[in-house]
């Protein structure tokens, strides 16, 4: 099939293509003539940014991978202040990072359309919590648009820019994992001339200190303006093309279905064979347009709101209905779970209960049957890849600390160091938090080096953090730890790429989508900040890594060891594309004593246990040739036996 | 056809998403409305994965509800069993019988069930049709183990009442693999077809 980068830029209006929700949003932004795009990757939003990265040059759009969500937000916002159409994207927890700017700047409004794409992750497939961005939208009094399929995601993106420009207000485009990571058929629309020609657009910033300087005297004027705007937008949304009433006009029962829940409701009703209901399809869960509610409620005797996560729509509808004097029953979170993601099963179960029907499948029976299967299933959590340099770093850290340290860690692939056999991750909270937590632990357990009273029974603390995370929010925490005379070892797991979200570049990579940026070596930063010990190691050399960590642990103060080796998944991908080969390790049966160190202490997924021979074995299709096994085996049983290209 | 539901299961990195994409494009080119549901990010790294492919005149959400999959395409036996509750009664499973043993099993923290045990649950408890064979071996015969998913897709096209034409699916694979890998993948596709035909007695 054609490459996605080509499809997203195709000048073929009317063509029907298969696109990921995130790619459809990128196309929508192009059709809206976007000028500036800035974001930090975060699952499930990342593919939008990656798509913009590969099309931006041709489309004349300025695009950057920013170092965190707050600075990405500010980059795009300033462009919107300069009259350009601008967009930023992040995952739900990313909005927390950008929240400071978001909540303060909303009163200033924008000149060019400004769209904030936020991807929520109900059920937390790749996240640390399942916060509902619609609550943020309500908190900030910013309208939120929520698509129900990839086609609508594209159309809504265009509409979001128009709405933002019309009201000079921020607009949030909210997706969930199941819209961002759903592929569906999308009909391409027209691309503007400037995008087709790849013409870079420049804006003009008109100085207005009364608007853009958020001193209290100005801020006081903003809040009432925001409230006025949101009520006007609520009016406008009565005519929003993504809100409509459908189904049986004379029905006595009504279902309100915001965003993606609309898809589940439609499917559930078809499955139940029910058609005598009225549906209010809501593309704008906040603010809910009252005019449309008024129409929808006519003739209804009961209403069900099927929404994912928090009762955002439910609370608005119930408040409105009370004020209007409606006394019919309005159901919502009493029938639809408030945690984890919406599914057709959940929708069908809630609607069946609401209407007093049987579900089309006896789910309890199915569950009971599946309960009997569960004991047969070995767990298979995600794991660090074969040849992952982080495995070696963790192995060396654990050995050097004799497994007795506290190990605060951070957000990235390396969080998987939590699992056996490595078990070198004791805390993970939020981006950059490993260094802050390590410092706090050091103060709580040992005291500060600058204090007179310190705890003589020193507790060793070893924090781990990735390169991208280090630049995201690790920097201020490192400055804080050094300034306050902490006593910690920070191992920066520098694999030169933002691996977990799909190999995006960062300051440690140096490369940007447009060519070379300026690489910032982590060790230079640590030295400049005044760390007490700084070293760089190659984790593929386990012995030196171990010895360097041992040395670092003896130093009082903040030690920074940069453990640098390129991400194995990234490297193998590149090698495969170039047709390159790498050594594959095998177990020499003469030498393997069956001691299990490679399995019980090192834990490479390519190594398994041969139950019959009581020896370790390497699965050749999974070996990526790092040779770590050969270094940890006390008997030299692992040998590179052939060149492979698996 | 109102809807046809496929679940694809396996271990992250085996090509589950690629297979879903191939089937999705084939369905789109056949004129159907298409939905594919995927999971990205950390959950993909050598962990258990499931993807959904749905097509027809009337499809909405990207996830197949439990008990509603017409077929399951599985790259690994335990990962077939893990998602058996998605299969409808009388559904079909096309499964690569070559196991990938999780680290937890090698460490002695868990047990890997036998292939016979797995097959029994499919056939007896869930009344499913089992099409199991070592697809990795056939992929190696075709030229490289990376063609395992092509072998399995080939086999999938042979199951009774499968709504996509095998030749259409073949076209999409041809277009989606690098030019130098086309021949190898075509061979893998044919080996998959042959394996399924033998098992089904066609």
């Amino acid at each position: 099939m054609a490459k996605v980068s080509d499809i997203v830029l195709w000048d073929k209006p009317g063509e029907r293509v298969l696109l990921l929700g995130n790619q459809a949003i990128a196309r929508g932004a192009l059709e809206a003539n976007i000028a500036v795009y800035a974001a930090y990757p975060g699952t499930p939003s990342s593919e939008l940014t990656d798509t913009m990265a590969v099309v931006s040059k041709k489309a004349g759009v300025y695009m950057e991978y920013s170092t965190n969500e707050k600075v990405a937000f500010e980059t795009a916002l300033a462009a919107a202040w300069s009259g350009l159409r601008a967009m930023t994207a992040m995952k739900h927890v990313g909005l927390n990072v950008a929240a400071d700017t978001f909540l303060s700047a909303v009163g200033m409004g924008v000149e060019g359309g400004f769209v904030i794409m936020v991807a929520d992750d109900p059920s937390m497939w790749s996240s640390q919590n399942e916060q509902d961005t619609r609550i943020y939208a309500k908190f900030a009094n910013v309208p939120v648009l929520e698509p129900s399929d990839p086609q609508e995601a594209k159309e809504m993106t265009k509409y979001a820019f128009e709405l933002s420009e019309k009201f000079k207000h921020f607009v949030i485009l909210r997706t969930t994992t199941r819209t961002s990571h759903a592929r569906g058929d999308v009909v391409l629309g027209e691309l503007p001339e400037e995008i087709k020609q790849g013409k870079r657009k420049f804006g003009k910033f008109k100085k207005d200190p009364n608007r853009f300087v958020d001193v209290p005297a100005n801020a006081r004027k903003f809040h009432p303006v925001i409230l006025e705007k949101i009520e006007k937008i609520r009016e406008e949304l009565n005519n929003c093309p993504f809100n409509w009433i459908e189904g049986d006009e004379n029905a006595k029962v009504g279902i309100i279905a915001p965003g993606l829940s609309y898809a589940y409701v439609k499917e559930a009703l078809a499955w139940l064979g029910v058609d005598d209901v009225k549906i209010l399809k809501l593309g704008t869960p906040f603010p809910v347009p009252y005019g449309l509610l008024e129409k929808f409620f006519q003739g209804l005797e009961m209403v069900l709101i099927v929404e994912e996560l928090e009762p955002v729509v439910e609370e608005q509808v119930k408040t409105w209905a009370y004020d209007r004097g409606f006394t019919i029953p309005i159901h919502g979170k009493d029938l639809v779970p408030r945690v984890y993601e919406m599914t057709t099963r959940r929708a069908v179960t809630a609607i069946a209960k609401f209407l007093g029907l049987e579900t089309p499948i006896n789910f309890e029976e199915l569950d009971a049957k599946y309960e009997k299967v569960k004991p047969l299933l070995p767990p298979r959590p995600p794991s660090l890849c074969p040849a992952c340099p982080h495995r070696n770093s963790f192995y060396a850290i654990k050995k050097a600390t004799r497994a007795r340290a506290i190990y605060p860690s951070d957000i990235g692939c390396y969080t998987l160091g939590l699992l056996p056999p490595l078990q070198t991750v004791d805390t993970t909270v939020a981006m950059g938090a490993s260094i802050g937590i390590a410092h706090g632990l050091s103060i709580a357990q040992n005291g500060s080096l600058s204090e007179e009273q310190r705890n003589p029974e020193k507790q060793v603390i070893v924090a781990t953090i990735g390169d991208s995370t280090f630049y995201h929010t690790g920097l201020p925490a490192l400055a804080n730890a050094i300034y306050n005379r902490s006593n910690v070892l920070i191992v920066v797991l520098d694999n030169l790429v933002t691996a977990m979200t799909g190999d995006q570049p960062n300051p440690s990579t140096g490369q940007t989508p447009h060519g070379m940026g300026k690489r910032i070596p982590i060790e230079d930063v640590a030295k400049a900040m005044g760390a007490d010990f700084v070293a760089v190691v190659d984790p593929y050399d386990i012995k030196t890594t171990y010895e360097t960590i041992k040395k670092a642990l003896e130093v009082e103060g903040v030690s920074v060891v940069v453990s640098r080796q390129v991400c194995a998944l990234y490297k193998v991908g590149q090698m495969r594309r170039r047709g390159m080969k790498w050594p594959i390790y095998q177990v020499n049966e003469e030498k393997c004593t069956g001691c299990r160190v490679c399995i019980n202490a090192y834990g490479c997924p390519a190594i398994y246990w041969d139950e019959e021979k009581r020896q370790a074995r390497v699965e050749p299709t999974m070996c990526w040739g790092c040779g770590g096994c050969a270094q940890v085996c006390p008997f030299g049983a692992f040998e590179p036996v052939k060149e492979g290209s698996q | 056809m109102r809807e046809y539901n496929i679940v694809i299961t396996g271990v992250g990195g085996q090509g589950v998403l690629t297979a879903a994409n191939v089937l999705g494009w084939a369905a789109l080119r056949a004129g159907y409305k298409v939905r594919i549901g995927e999971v990205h990010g950390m959950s993909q790294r050598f962990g258990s994965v499931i993807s959904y492919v749905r097509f027809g005149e009337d499809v909405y959400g990207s996830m197949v509800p439990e008990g509603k999959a017409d077929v399951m395409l599985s790259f690994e036996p335990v990962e077939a069993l893990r998602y058996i509750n998605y299969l409808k009664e009388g559904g079909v499973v096309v499964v690569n019988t070559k196991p990938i043993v999780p680290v937890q099993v090698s460490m002695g923290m868990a047990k890997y069930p036998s292939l016979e045990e797995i097959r029994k649950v499919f056939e007896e408890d869930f009344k499913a049709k089992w099409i199991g064979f070592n697809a990795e071996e056939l992929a190696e015969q075709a030229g490289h183990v990376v063609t395992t998913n092509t072998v399995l897709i080939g086999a999938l096209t042979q199951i009774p009442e499968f709504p996509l034409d095998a030749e259409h699916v073949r076209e999409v694979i041809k277009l989606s693999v690098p030019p130098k890998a086309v021949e190898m993948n075509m061979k893998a596709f044919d080996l998959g077809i042959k394996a399924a035909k033998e098992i089904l007695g066609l």
Side-chain angles (χ1 to χ4, degrees):
Chain A
M1 307 322 316
K3 284 207 312 227
V4 167
S5 49
D6 297 336
I7 296 175
V8 172
L9 267 176
W10 263 355
D11 185 19
K12 292 185 183 176
E15 184 87 5
R16 209 166 135 261
V17 295
L18 191 60
L19 286 181
L20 197 65
N22 282 343
Q23 295 161 348
I25 294 170
R27 172 72 186 199
L30 295 180
E31 289 181 10
N33 203 13
I34 187 179
V36 170
Y37 181 94
Y40 181 82
T43 313
S45 77
S46 312
E47 298 77 14
L48 168 54
T49 308
D50 297 344
T51 307
M52 292 307 289
V54 292
V55 301
S56 57
K57 204 172 172 187
K58 259 195 187 163
V61 175
Y62 173 79
M63 178 275 162
E64 70 173 35
Y65 287 106
S66 310
T67 49
N68 73 27
E69 294 84 355
K70 183 172 182 283
V71 294
F73 193 103
E74 287 153 5
T75 304
L77 174 63
W81 280 351
S82 306
L84 299 173
R85 287 194 165 182
M87 188 176 200
T88 181
M90 58 203 71
K91 67 186 296 178
H92 58 311
V93 287
L95 188 55
N96 300 337
V97 178
D100 201 4
T101 300
F102 172 48
L103 287 156
S104 292
V106 61
M108 302 173 185
V110 288
E111 288 301 306
F114 181 47
V115 179
I116 307 152
M117 184 275 204
V118 188
D120 284 2
D121 188 15
S123 279
M124 297 159 281
W125 298 104
S126 210
S127 303
Q128 57 269 44
N129 73 28
E130 68 176 355
Q131 69 192 41
D132 190 327
T133 291
R134 301 175 306 160
I135 292 183
Y136 250 122
K138 192 162 175 263
F139 183 25
N141 283 296
V142 164
V144 53
L145 303 174
E146 199 188 343
S148 65
D149 64 20
Q151 172 75 35
E152 204 175 54
K154 178 180 83 80
E155 300 302 331
M156 247 185 198
T157 307
K158 266 196 286 190
Y159 176 80
F161 279 106
E162 285 156 21
L163 187 69
S164 169
E165 236 156 58
K166 182 167 180 184
F167 290 90
K168 295 187 180 302
H169 201 46
F170 296 3
V171 172
I172 290 179
L173 177 72
R174 183 238 192 186
T175 66
T176 61
T177 307
R178 300 299 173 182
T179 348
S180 274
H181 290 166
R183 251 171 245 273
D185 31 331
V186 172
V187 179
L188 301 180
E190 292 272 0
L191 287 175
E193 271 312 306
E194 283 165 306
I195 294 282
K196 277 197 261 185
Q197 289 165 15
K199 192 168 161 232
R200 175 92 154 74
K201 297 165 278 285
F202 294 94
K204 257 207 177 92
F205 178 70
K206 249 177 57 199
K207 290 191 189 188
D208 184 356
N210 291 329
R211 176 176 172 191
F212 294 118
V213 183
D214 212 353
V215 287
N218 290 334
R220 256 171 237 131
K221 290 179 232 155
F222 293 155
H223 203 173
V225 172
I226 298 171
L227 294 179
E228 205 181 297
K229 269 189 192 173
I230 198 70
E231 287 316 312
K232 278 194 185 143
I233 291 171
R234 197 190 287 277
E235 276 288 310
E236 170 84 10
L237 294 180
N238 283 314
N239 304 312
C240 167
F242 306 103
N243 292 332
W244 65 77
I245 295 167
E246 66 174 55
D248 182 355
E249 229 177 85
N250 304 314
K252 299 268 179 274
V253 294
I255 297 176
I256 301 178
L260 188 55
S261 296
Y262 170 72
Y264 298 117
V265 165
K266 290 285 280 187
E267 190 170 329
L269 290 171
W271 205 6
L272 284 163
V274 171
D275 51 18
D276 54 344
V277 293
K278 192 152 67 166
I279 301 172
L280 172 57
K281 188 272 184 194
L282 261 188
T284 62
F286 179 80
V288 173
Y290 293 152
L292 216 53
L293 275 188
E294 187 76 48
K295 253 191 243 164
F296 177 70
F297 265 66
Q298 293 314 314
L300 292 182
E301 286 171 9
M302 56 181 197
V303 169
L304 170 68
I305 298 149
V306 180
E307 72 186 308
E308 204 170 28
L309 300 183
E310 296 296 316
V312 174
V313 171
E314 185 178 337
E315 284 172 1
Q316 291 175 79
V317 170
K318 281 180 171 168
T319 310
W320 170 85
Y322 183 88
D323 288 349
R324 277 284 292 106
F326 281 102
T327 53
I328 60 170
I330 300 172
H331 295 276
K333 289 296 156 193
D334 53 335
L335 296 178
V336 184
R338 192 166 171 170
V339 295
Y340 312 138
E341 69 181 345
M342 179 65 63
T343 59
T344 303
R345 172 175 170 173
R346 283 182 157 195
V348 97
T349 306
I351 294 170
K353 210 161 174 187
F354 175 63
L355 298 175
L357 302 169
E358 293 277 320
T359 54
I361 283 184
N362 188 331
F363 291 113
E364 284 75 27
E365 236 170 59
L366 182 65
D367 289 346
K369 222 156 72 168
Y370 187 62
E371 277 305 312
K372 284 197 271 176
V373 176
K374 277 186 184 163
L376 287 175
L377 295 169
R380 193 189 305 269
S383 78
L384 297 173
C385 300
C388 175
H390 302 330
R391 175 177 296 102
N392 295 6
S393 300
F394 282 133
Y395 179 83
I397 290 168
K398 196 170 177 183
K399 211 170 155 193
T401 53
R402 282 169 290 151
R404 283 189 206 138
I406 309 176
Y407 307 105
S409 190
D410 226 298
I411 312 276
C413 297
Y414 48 90
T415 312
L416 295 170
L418 148 87
L419 300 168
L422 295 164
Q423 292 169 302
T424 33
V425 171
D426 290 326
T427 74
T428 306
V429 188
M431 293 288 286
S434 61
I435 301 179
I437 296 286
H439 169 63
L441 286 168
S442 164
I443 297 304
Q445 315 291 306
N446 309 330
S448 161
L449 293 180
S450 62
E451 277 179 302
E452 278 165 24
Q453 282 191 332
R454 298 184 53 224
N455 182 4
E457 281 164 38
K458 202 180 100 179
Q459 170 69 57
V460 177
I461 293 144
V462 184
T464 44
I465 184 167
D467 45 337
S468 191
T469 313
F470 178 81
Y471 283 107
H472 180 283
T473 26
L475 289 173
L478 180 62
N480 184 62
I482 293 171
Y483 164 59
N484 285 303
R485 302 299 282 133
S486 196
N487 191 5
V488 292
L489 166 59
I490 296 153
V491 181
V492 186
L493 306 169
D494 182 7
N495 59 9
L496 300 158
V497 79
T498 312
M500 191 175 101
T501 46
D503 304 333
Q504 294 84 1
N506 66 58
S508 188
T509 320
Q511 189 81 29
T512 76
H514 328 292
M516 275 314 283
K518 188 160 184 174
R519 186 169 171 257
I520 312 174
I522 291 158
E523 58 276 22
D524 290 2
V525 175
K527 276 181 207 150
M529 276 196 188
D532 299 284
F533 175 91
V534 179
V536 182
V537 294
D538 174 3
Y540 277 179
D541 175 353
I542 296 177
K543 189 159 172 265
T544 311
T545 305
Y546 161 79
E547 280 163 1
T548 308
I549 288 167
K550 273 218 99 122
K551 209 162 118 194
L553 286 169
E554 282 158 23
V555 176
E556 293 268 292
V558 176
S559 302
V560 176
V561 172
V562 182
S563 187
R564 178 174 297 137
Q565 178 58 253
V566 66
C567 164
L569 188 61
Y570 181 72
K571 192 166 138 188
V572 161
Q574 301 256 323
M575 287 173 82
R576 262 193 197 132
R577 271 191 286 281
R578 291 180 196 144
M580 290 163 74
K581 298 184 180 245
W582 54 85
I584 286 174
Y585 283 74
Q586 290 286 286
V587 173
N588 182 331
E589 292 186 34
E590 307 282 303
K591 292 185 182 168
C592 180
T593 64
C595 76
R596 299 177 82 119
V597 163
C598 55
I599 290 168
N600 292 352
Y602 188 62
C604 172
I607 305 173
Y608 65 95
W609 182 248
D610 183 334
E611 197 57 60
E612 267 172 41
K613 295 218 167 162
R614 316 280 312 154
Q615 283 190 331
R617 288 286 175 274
V618 176
E619 168 57 50
T621 60
M622 285 170 76
C623 175
W624 293 353
C626 74
C629 51
Q631 295 178 57
V632 300
C633 176
F635 304 98
F638 289 90
E639 294 165 356
V641 293
K642 64 166 180 175
E643 293 274 301
S645 64
Q646 315 285 3
Chain B
M1 184 190 55
R2 235 200 93 215
E3 64 175 58
Y4 195 80
N5 293 313
I6 306 171
V7 291
I8 310 178
T9 74
V11 177
Q14 280 191 301
V16 168
L17 294 188
T18 313
N21 221 344
V22 163
L23 293 169
W25 270 104
L28 185 84
R29 285 159 61 110
Y32 293 116
K33 198 174 158 189
V34 182
R35 290 287 179 272
I36 300 175
E38 339 183 322
V39 170
H40 298 204
M42 182 156 74
S43 33
Q44 252 219 302
R45 303 271 188 271
F46 292 85
S48 162
V49 291
I50 178 167
S51 272
Y52 313 90
V53 182
R54 328 184 64 188
F55 52 91
E57 276 105 50
D58 206 16
V59 291
Y60 292 97
S62 63
M63 286 181 293
V64 175
E66 289 125 288
K68 232 186 171 193
D70 296 282
V71 293
M72 174 189 280
L73 182 67
S74 190
F75 289 45
E76 206 278 347
V78 147
E79 296 317 316
L81 190 60
R82 196 182 305 279
Y83 301 104
I84 194 170
N85 52 333
Y86 283 91
L87 207 54
K88 71 176 188 191
E89 211 175 281
V92 183
V93 58
V94 175
V95 55
N96 174 24
T97 51
K98 165 83 191 292
I100 295 176
V101 181
V103 175
Q104 287 72 14
V105 170
S106 289
M107 289 181 74
M109 296 162 68
K111 208 178 145 278
Y112 194 99
S114 73
L115 202 58
E116 292 72 51
E117 268 178 293
I118 297 172
R119 182 173 178 157
K120 206 176 130 216
V121 177
F122 271 96
E123 291 184 336
E124 290 177 16
D125 300 347
F126 281 78
K127 314 278 174 250
K129 172 90 195 148
W130 171 272
I131 303 178
F133 59 96
N134 189 330
E136 201 175 293
E137 240 170 54
L138 296 181
E140 268 171 37
Q141 272 179 39
H144 200 285
V145 51
V146 292
T147 62
T148 304
N149 49 15
T150 306
V151 173
L152 287 166
I153 293 171
L156 181 74
T157 61
Q158 298 308 303
I159 65 174
E161 286 153 42
F162 187 72
L164 300 175
D165 186 86
E167 290 315 303
H168 287 166
V169 178
R170 187 198 291 278
E171 276 310 300
V172 173
I173 294 175
K174 242 189 220 168
L175 291 169
S176 41
V177 300
K180 59 177 184 185
V182 168
E183 201 185 319
M184 187 166 83
N185 275 280
M186 293 304 102
K187 205 170 157 196
F189 194 74
D190 287 332
L191 286 171
I193 290 179
K194 194 167 156 250
K197 277 189 168 161
E198 269 166 28
I199 292 169
L200 290 164
L202 296 173

